[in-house]
Amino acid sequence: MQYWFEGLLIYMSYLMSIGNTVNPGCECVIYQSNGGSTGRFTSPNFPQYYPRDANCILYTFIGDVKELVEITFLQFDMKKATSNNICTDFLRLFLYLDGPGINEHDRHSAELCGVLNSTQKKYYSSDRALILELHADGLPGNFTGFQGRYQFLDKENLSRKELENRQSMLINSPKHEQFVISGTKMHGTQCTYYFDSNNTKSGRLFSPFYPQNYQAMSKCQYHFQAKKGDKVKIFFQNIQLYHTGGSKGEKSCRYSHDAIVVYNGRDRSADVIGHYCDIQNQVELTSTGRNLFIEFYSDDKNEAQGFAASYTFVGSSIHRSVTTQPKAEPINGVTYQPRPTHPEFNCNKEINSQIHANGTIQSPFHPSPYSAGVTCTYTFTGVGRERVQLKFVHMDLFFNGGNPTEPLDCAGSDSIKVTIPLSGKVVELGVYCGKKLPPVLMSAGTKMTVQFHSESSSKGMTTGFKAVYSFVNNFGISTGERDSRGVCVFNYYSQRESHGTFTSPNYPGLYPRNTECHYLFYGKGKETVHIQFPVFQVEGIGPRCDEGTHSDYVSFSNFADSEDRKLHRLCGASSEGKKESIESDGPFFRVVFKSNDVYDDEGFFAYYQFKGTDNPITPVNNGDDNSGMMHRYDRPSSGSGQRLSTSSLIICLLTLAFLAHKVNH
């Protein structure tokens, strides 16, 4: 007990009544600076065993305004972590505090248990205060606890190098300069921030406590506003969110309780242009207007590292590239453009959707022959949820490998390579040559690059290529009504069309990679939905069609927010089984198309029909319901189609709880 009162120590042991600590019943030990003072701190009864009922003891070190706190552990003996690496007895360190107090929103910087050999010995505060929190699990055990030395350091008397050395020993925390959010935090909120181009042109944003795990039940909002005429560009360097998936291990963000949703406007009423969960890297989005809104939410069960992103307010001025062509001259009665000889010849083009939403690209001097030894790059950049769709209408490249109408290998021949950025990498969609038209292509995001290359040995009078491009918002899906509450969601109502067709994105071209589209069918009364696939070509391995085999797939459900276990997924090539009709149980049915970042294929063409009419109902639309953070779509009920009011729902839940209580007693 001799160390318990050692040093300059004010001991305060009382039950906190104001409720502003982690546990309102914590005992408090306070060490107050007296101008660079030093001393020792220990666990209760040290060097004897600390009491097993030490539920919460706070050690609070408070320096002067210009001081830092240094603590060094001399001895450390606490209960070891479990096999799951969980400390049941622990000492938590709060190193990044704005003041000498903590509450339920403050995240600890480290949690220590075990012995000294496995524990870092020296720690520093980021400012004038540092708090330790001791907990014991109450179970039998004999552990001596800890003994340490503290010192209050005057920052002004430390050299810059000494200060940097001490700061480098800090554990990573969002309060560290590297992880400071650039926006203005709204007072009284957990993590609501505002970013205005009048204050900063670029900056960073993070999930709470990044790079540590975010807290359970996080609900964060990030509001961006650029000046009139400008846009907001967001770049997620890292996304690591806890994700369980659906009943079959589906990685759809639809089933994730920890997610990021990006809206193309001021609030949740705007179009969703991004919905992210699980692990993703290097994702870029740009708003179509001056506002952008990001929501991050998590449930009460599990946490992960979170996300790190940067933002830039970008102007609307875009440089246009101009290509100068030499004068055409007749050759043997036919007018061809001469091959360029000017050293400044440039055929590279940057195409932005805000200037040209659609148009054409072509080889130099098309329809005249192009030159040998030329490389042209065409870069496409869209905004919002736009995708780049590319359709070749002419293809005539020098081919050095046999039949140009069925080219098997483009090596040594003139060629066109199409790439997209995906998951932090440049992914090749295809290399095309000869005279065979490439398939219709679509980007997975807002960017695509097309590179045309002619070999120096290129011969003949081949006329090159021509392609039509479009920046599309509908993923090339021409039926149904687009739902703004999802990135790729389309609604089909029997009240408007009793039958019709729907397709995979970009059909009949190759569907885009890393894409998820939902087709929601709303019947009326006792109607059921019948679906048939006369064309089906989705890359995958059946019958499971799961992520373990890197399969793309189509799934079905009678439920709005979960996969239906009795309905199997479809993938692979067309077969008689896929041509049979798939039928819903009731008036609502959901079809989901999901592609990964590895493969692509032709996709599907499908018929749908609503059969049977009785007791018409109106599909529920909760587009204006902002009460919850989860991003969901409502399923119409099989009765009157009315939703329970909040008060009715509460009464219903209380009644069920009361009945359950009576049954259990």
Side-chain angles (χ1 to χ4, degrees):
M1 294 292 290
Q2 59 180 339
Y3 298 116
W4 186 247
F5 298 99
E6 184 175 347
L8 184 62
L9 169 65
I10 303 174
Y11 179 71
M12 301 175 64
S13 179
Y14 59 93
L15 294 178
M16 304 293 291
S17 59
I18 58 175
N20 64 342
T21 60
V22 174
N23 182 340
C26 291
E27 297 181 358
C28 235
V29 183
I30 298 179
Y31 299 81
Q32 181 75 46
S33 172
N34 189 21
S37 53
T38 64
R40 293 190 182 185
F41 62 95
T42 70
S43 54
N45 299 334
F46 186 87
Q48 306 300 319
Y49 304 138
Y50 60 84
R52 303 304 302 152
D53 60 352
N55 180 46
C56 178
I57 300 177
L58 297 180
Y59 297 77
T60 303
F61 300 85
I62 306 173
D64 290 339
V65 175
K66 296 182 179 181
E67 289 183 334
L68 298 177
V69 184
E70 176 191 80
I71 61 171
T72 305
F73 288 102
L74 306 176
Q75 298 185 53
F76 200 96
D77 174 35
M78 294 185 68
K79 191 174 183 179
K80 293 182 179 180
T82 65
S83 58
N84 295 327
N85 201 31
I86 297 175
C87 296
T88 57
D89 282 16
F90 55 79
L91 184 69
R92 287 176 175 169
L93 281 66
F94 295 83
L95 306 179
Y96 302 85
L97 299 175
D98 296 326
I102 55 176
N103 56 42
E104 68 275 10
H105 296 306
D106 289 308
R107 188 75 169 184
H108 55 273
S109 307
E111 186 175 88
L112 310 181
C113 63
V115 295
L116 186 62
N117 292 336
S118 62
T119 303
Q120 181 179 327
K121 297 178 177 61
K122 187 169 291 189
Y123 297 89
Y124 294 89
S125 65
S126 64
D127 209 330
R128 61 180 297 201
L130 185 152
I131 293 179
L132 309 178
E133 180 186 358
L134 172 64
H135 280 264
D137 60 14
L139 300 176
N142 296 320
F143 308 98
T144 57
F146 54 84
Q147 177 193 12
R149 181 177 61 247
Y150 68 86
Q151 182 176 2
F152 295 101
L153 304 174
D154 189 340
K155 288 190 287 188
E156 292 186 348
N157 292 335
L158 294 174
S159 68
R160 182 178 181 84
K161 184 175 181 179
E162 288 176 322
L163 187 58
E164 289 177 351
N165 289 338
R166 284 167 170 75
Q167 293 293 335
S168 68
M169 297 181 68
L170 290 170
I171 298 172
N172 285 339
S173 167
K175 298 272 185 168
H176 192 279
E177 182 181 357
Q178 184 180 356
F179 302 109
V180 172
I181 297 176
S182 305
T184 302
K185 185 178 180 182
M186 184 176 178
H187 181 70
T189 65
Q190 178 190 10
C191 45
T192 296
Y193 290 87
Y194 289 86
F195 305 81
D196 194 303
S197 61
N198 291 325
N199 299 327
T200 177
K201 299 302 180 185
S202 63
R204 295 167 294 182
L205 62 148
F206 307 93
S207 53
F209 308 108
Y210 187 90
Q212 298 180 80
N213 289 357
Y214 51 82
Q215 285 183 318
M217 299 301 293
S218 291
K219 294 183 180 181
C220 300
Q221 297 183 349
Y222 307 84
H223 302 261
F224 297 84
Q225 180 167 299
K227 66 180 182 181
K228 190 174 182 179
D230 287 358
K231 296 174 176 56
V232 187
K233 182 164 70 175
I234 299 292
F235 183 70
F236 290 96
Q237 289 95 345
N238 177 38
I239 297 176
Q240 295 191 42
L241 307 182
Y242 185 82
H243 182 65
T244 56
S247 59
K248 300 181 183 178
E250 186 174 356
K251 290 189 176 181
S252 170
C253 293
R254 180 178 184 80
Y255 304 114
S256 181
H257 296 273
D258 295 15
I260 300 167
V261 184
V262 183
Y263 299 85
N264 188 35
R266 291 180 178 273
D267 50 38
R268 300 180 74 208
S269 64
D271 287 357
V272 173
I273 60 174
H275 194 176
Y276 307 108
C277 62
D278 203 19
I279 298 176
Q280 302 192 45
N281 293 299
Q282 300 189 35
V283 178
E284 183 177 303
L285 288 169
T286 303
S287 65
T288 60
R290 63 184 300 197
N291 294 104
L292 191 90
F293 173 54
I294 299 176
E295 235 175 9
F296 165 65
Y297 55 80
S298 65
D299 65 8
D300 60 350
K301 294 187 173 74
N302 297 282
E303 302 87 37
Q305 187 179 45
F307 72 86
S310 60
Y311 69 88
T312 306
F313 293 107
V314 294
S316 57
S317 60
I318 298 174
H319 299 287
R320 303 171 186 246
S321 59
V322 179
T323 302
T324 303
Q325 299 182 4
K327 184 178 179 180
E329 297 179 0
I331 301 176
N332 296 328
V334 180
T335 301
Y336 293 110
Q337 291 285 358
R339 302 188 179 210
T341 57
H342 196 282
E344 295 182 358
F345 171 79
N346 178 23
C347 57
N348 299 327
K349 292 185 178 181
E350 294 184 6
I351 302 170
N352 191 288
S353 65
Q354 301 302 287
I355 294 180
H356 297 294
N358 51 70
T360 60
I361 59 171
Q362 57 193 29
S363 53
F365 316 119
H366 176 82
S368 299
Y370 56 84
S371 299
V374 171
T375 299
C376 301
T377 302
Y378 310 83
T379 303
F380 299 88
T381 304
V383 295
R385 70 170 88 187
E386 290 177 342
R387 298 296 185 265
V388 185
Q389 188 178 55
L390 190 67
K391 181 179 181 180
F392 289 85
V393 295
H394 179 82
M395 190 77 168
D396 181 24
L397 305 185
F398 171 73
F399 185 65
N400 197 29
N403 182 5
T405 61
E406 291 294 335
L408 298 178
D409 186 359
C410 295
S413 300
D414 299 349
S415 62
I416 296 171
K417 180 171 69 173
V418 183
T419 60
I420 59 171
L422 188 62
S423 302
K425 301 177 182 178
V426 176
V427 176
E428 188 178 281
L429 293 185
V431 178
Y432 308 99
C433 54
K435 295 179 179 293
K436 184 177 182 179
L437 286 174
V440 180
L441 302 173
M442 180 172 285
S443 63
T446 59
K447 293 187 175 183
M448 177 186 284
T449 299
V450 178
Q451 187 177 79
F452 165 69
H453 176 73
S454 64
E455 299 288 337
S456 58
S457 58
S458 179
K459 300 176 181 179
M461 302 301 289
T462 47
T463 56
F465 76 92
K466 182 178 181 179
V468 177
Y469 69 85
S470 299
F471 291 92
V472 299
N473 282 289
N474 65 353
F475 289 81
I477 299 172
S478 58
T479 62
E481 296 181 10
R482 196 184 72 186
D483 193 323
S484 65
R485 295 171 296 163
V487 178
C488 182
V489 181
F490 294 84
N491 299 323
Y492 299 82
Y493 300 98
S494 69
Q495 290 178 330
R496 294 162 194 170
E497 295 286 346
S498 62
H499 63 280
T501 63
F502 66 102
T503 68
S504 54
N506 199 44
Y507 183 86
L510 300 182
Y511 54 74
R513 301 185 189 184
N514 202 32
T515 297
E516 180 177 326
C517 291
H518 294 249
Y519 310 83
L520 308 179
F521 297 87
Y522 295 89
K524 52 185 189 289
K526 296 183 179 180
E527 286 181 340
T528 56
V529 186
H530 295 247
I531 292 175
Q532 192 172 26
F533 294 93
V535 179
F536 193 94
Q537 187 73 34
V538 175
E539 182 69 39
I541 300 175
R544 293 179 60 85
C545 303
D546 58 14
E547 282 74 14
T549 56
H550 299 289
S551 293
D552 303 332
Y553 60 83
V554 176
S555 66
F556 310 90
S557 181
N558 289 287
F559 311 105
D561 52 9
S562 64
E563 196 167 356
D564 204 326
R565 295 185 179 183
K566 69 179 182 180
L567 296 174
H568 63 277
R569 296 176 178 178
L570 295 183
C571 65
S574 295
S575 66
E576 292 302 318
K578 297 182 181 69
K579 294 180 181 179
E580 295 179 358
S581 179
I582 298 170
E583 183 178 351
S584 69
D585 291 342
F588 174 82
F589 204 48
R590 179 169 59 88
V591 179
V592 176
F593 165 79
K594 183 79 164 61
S595 66
N596 56 36
D597 59 1
V598 182
Y599 303 114
D600 44 37
D601 213 324
E602 180 183 354
F604 66 81
F605 176 87
Y607 293 115
Y608 73 87
Q609 183 176 6
F610 295 96
K611 293 185 178 181
T613 57
D614 190 18
N615 298 328
I617 62 172
T618 302
V620 177
N621 188 334
N622 72 333
D624 295 326
D625 181 9
N626 295 328
S627 60
M629 298 289 288
M630 298 302 296
H631 194 65
R632 294 289 184 264
Y633 311 103
D634 282 339
R635 174 186 180 183
S637 65
S638 58
S640 64
Q642 297 177 343
R643 303 176 66 189
L644 286 175
S645 66
T646 303
S647 57
S648 299
L649 182 60
I650 293 174
I651 293 172
C652 179
L653 292 173
L654 289 174
T655 303
L656 289 173
F658 174 73
L659 292 175
H661 177 77
K662 292 195 67 177
V663 170
N664 293 329
H665 293 80

